[in-house]
Amino acid sequence: MSRIYRSLPPAGTPMGIAYSGGLDTRCAVAWMSRHGMKVHAYTADLAQPDEANPADIPPTAITHGAVAGRLVDCRDAMVREGLTAIQCGAFHLSSGGRKYFNTTPLGRAVTTLAIVRAMKEDGVNVFGDGSTHKGNDIQRFYRYGILANPELRIYKPWLDPKFVGELGGRKEMSEYLLAHGLPYRMGTEKAYSTDANVLGATHEAKDLEFLDKNMRIVQPIMGVAFWRADVEIAPETVTVGFEKGLPVSLNGDRFSSQFDLFLECNRVGGRHGLGMSDQIENRVIEAKSRGIYEAPGMALLHLAYERLLSAIHNENTLDLYATLGRRLGRLLYEGKWYDPEANLLKDALTRWIAPSVTGEVTVELRRGEDYTLLSTRAEYMAYAPEKLSMERVEAPAFTPEDRIGALELQNLSVTDNRAMLIHHLRSLHGLGGGETPVIGQLLAGEVSEGD
């Protein structure tokens, strides 16, 4: 069974770390190496938009004391899991109709499994990362790590009082590296922190912890600041094509891979600032946090996919898609994307909803979430205008006489419900106290008569 080291493992222990190349992981590598660890640094290539070339990152770990640095290609896996999340509607956070597309939870699922598999190849069985005890990632990295390797041991520098005591702030970390001849230039200090992958970017902490600060302090990295009056954004018409639940084309153009198509979706959506949201959320420890999110490609594909869903599937199916998808989104958020209950939901949603989605949606994008759906076409649609047309049709689906019969059948439920309400209100009245519900005011005469 996997256990967590409370302090540094014995000297000479091979130690794997998820290495981003930022100040915190550089400092962790330098500190652990100088305390006798044989540090192996693993950098995930997530096509992260905040890095010019992820391949440049692993060599810096060796400079800081690691015995090895390795780049792990996660790009195709990121897009694959992102598209699965779209098929399932695995998004539980929404505010004012704008969704958070769970891009960081998806990134942690892909990254951790890929890195721990690479560690097993290298004979490394102690794993660490840069997450703190206050966030969600500490749980995600842990769960996915031991899922990939049940013998994995965990050491997290930010859970070690010795490390935190010496290097608990950015100032202390910078001074530590400078003292060891490893100066790190932080560049312009932002008013928030950023984590990104090909699916989206997360901006949080620092000034964004305060709700009187807003999206306007963020400099987007995946698109334009659509709220700025000086940013010119020309309307653009785009057609998204799906086959059997997967996106296959943009404006009729097909791509050599889903990854390449997704990059183009990011570019198209990003030109309009599509997919940005401001969310207050409940972390896994049941405390609230706040984040500003970008996900232009996810947003573009999601709006086209859900438009097709609404035309193709019946109401009960759509209700289950929304309900089960929201539940799956929370499981994903908690680091349970590959747990049995999540696999059950994914299997149902990808097998019984997504395969029927073949068609095209044309949309005019303007600024942010301002867009217009122009056209919807599908191989099969439950939607058929002649069923409910206000014009005369040659062979109507049903007649006025049919509707009279349907309405009269509802007498059974309406009269039963009315009698039940009267009985319930009499029972409430007998208990005494409290205000009379509105329906009680409607039926007050009959309720009082029975008292």
Side-chain angles (χ1 to χ4, degrees):
M1 180 177 290
S2 179
R3 298 302 300 270
I4 300 173
Y5 284 104
R6 266 61 172 176
S7 58
L8 274 168
T13 299
M15 169 78 202
I17 186 169
Y19 181 74
S20 68
L23 175 62
D24 52 355
T25 50
R26 288 182 186 232
C27 200
V29 168
W31 189 84
M32 291 189 297
S33 298
R34 283 156 180 78
H35 282 77
M37 298 295 101
K38 293 183 178 179
V39 179
H40 295 246
Y42 298 86
T43 299
D45 184 353
L46 306 168
Q48 47 267 56
D50 53 345
E51 294 289 348
N53 184 12
D56 293 336
I57 299 174
T60 66
I62 297 173
T63 302
H64 286 68
V67 298
R70 180 172 172 181
L71 185 69
V72 183
D73 189 354
C74 299
R75 294 172 296 176
D76 289 339
M78 280 300 311
V79 171
R80 181 187 67 241
E81 298 301 333
L83 295 180
T84 297
I86 288 174
Q87 288 182 323
C88 297
F91 315 119
H92 68 296
L93 281 173
S94 179
S95 181
R98 297 190 182 186
K99 292 183 181 292
Y100 168 45
F101 292 100
N102 269 334
T103 56
T104 294
L106 287 163
R108 299 303 184 242
V110 170
T111 296
T112 309
L113 290 185
I115 287 178
V116 173
R117 282 197 295 263
M119 287 172 54
K120 289 179 72 175
E121 294 171 2
D122 297 337
V124 180
N125 292 296
V126 180
F127 178 47
D129 61 84
S131 57
T132 75
H133 67 289
K134 293 182 178 180
N136 299 311
D137 285 338
I138 194 169
Q139 176 167 310
R140 296 165 182 159
F141 278 117
Y142 181 80
R143 293 185 63 88
Y144 294 129
I146 60 176
L147 182 66
N149 179 5
E151 302 304 316
L152 195 69
R153 299 292 298 272
I154 307 296
Y155 172 74
K156 295 177 181 287
W158 279 265
L159 293 182
D160 185 341
K162 181 177 176 61
F163 178 87
V164 175
E166 293 181 27
L167 306 169
R170 295 180 70 80
K171 178 177 179 292
E172 292 82 2
M173 287 190 283
S174 297
E175 291 173 349
Y176 179 84
L177 292 181
L178 184 62
H180 288 84
L182 299 166
Y184 178 74
R185 186 172 61 85
M186 289 186 286
T188 302
E189 185 73 4
K190 297 186 302 180
Y192 52 88
S193 64
T194 296
D195 182 86
N197 58 55
V198 68
L199 302 181
T202 295
H203 309 288
E204 61 183 5
K206 301 181 184 177
D207 285 4
L208 287 177
E209 292 176 352
F210 303 96
L211 298 182
D212 60 346
K213 305 295 183 183
N214 53 64
M215 192 181 290
R216 288 181 292 182
I217 73 169
V218 172
Q219 180 57 51
I221 63 174
M222 301 186 74
V224 298
F226 64 89
W227 57 87
R228 288 175 46 183
D230 62 332
V231 175
E232 295 185 8
I233 304 175
E236 178 179 2
T237 298
V238 58
T239 298
V240 183
F242 277 82
E243 289 180 2
K244 294 180 172 58
L246 289 170
V248 295
S249 64
L250 286 177
N251 293 326
D253 295 330
R254 290 181 175 254
F255 297 79
S256 59
S257 68
Q258 290 180 337
F259 176 75
D260 289 326
L261 183 146
F262 198 90
L263 289 182
E264 183 60 19
C265 288
N266 274 340
R267 285 188 282 267
V268 172
R271 288 197 287 267
H272 303 270
L274 184 68
M276 289 196 72
S277 69
D278 182 335
Q279 306 285 348
I280 296 174
E281 60 206 73
N282 286 290
R283 287 187 173 174
V284 296
I285 56 174
E286 291 300 332
K288 290 185 182 291
S289 64
R290 187 274 193 98
I292 305 293
Y293 298 102
E294 300 181 60
M298 292 287 283
L300 177 60
L301 294 175
H302 176 70
L303 75 88
Y305 182 75
E306 286 210 332
R307 175 64 168 186
L308 288 169
L309 281 187
S310 67
I312 292 167
H313 285 291
N314 65 35
E315 179 61 21
N316 286 334
T317 301
L318 293 173
D319 179 66
L320 286 170
Y321 162 80
T323 303
L324 300 181
R326 189 180 188 281
R327 175 63 183 143
L328 179 60
R330 182 63 192 186
L331 291 173
L332 167 57
Y333 188 83
E334 294 173 351
K336 301 175 182 177
W337 186 236
Y338 301 112
D339 282 20
E341 59 267 41
N343 287 326
L344 183 154
L345 296 175
K346 283 189 286 186
D347 187 64
L349 293 163
T350 57
R351 285 174 58 85
W352 290 99
I353 291 182
S356 302
V357 180
T358 295
E360 290 184 338
V361 173
T362 301
V363 58
E364 181 186 74
L365 302 175
R366 290 184 290 273
R367 301 180 75 94
E369 302 301 303
D370 179 20
Y371 60 82
T372 299
L373 292 162
L374 301 179
S375 175
T376 305
R377 298 176 295 277
E379 183 177 75
Y380 161 81
M381 288 195 289
Y383 177 83
E386 66 275 8
K387 290 180 183 178
L388 300 177
S389 177
M390 300 300 290
E391 304 299 329
R392 184 185 297 274
V393 295
E394 187 172 326
F398 59 95
T399 67
E401 188 68 23
D402 296 328
R403 192 62 192 271
I404 290 172
L407 289 171
E408 289 182 336
L409 276 175
Q410 294 177 32
N411 277 337
L412 294 173
S413 63
V414 174
T415 53
D416 285 349
N417 289 342
R418 189 176 190 279
M420 176 62 196
L421 287 169
I422 293 171
H423 169 72
H424 180 69
L425 290 167
R426 286 174 177 166
S427 301
L428 280 178
H429 186 73
L431 294 174
E435 295 183 4
T436 303
V438 173
I439 190 67
Q441 298 170 19
L442 177 65
L443 302 174
E446 294 178 59
V447 174
S448 60
E449 289 171 8
D451 292 340

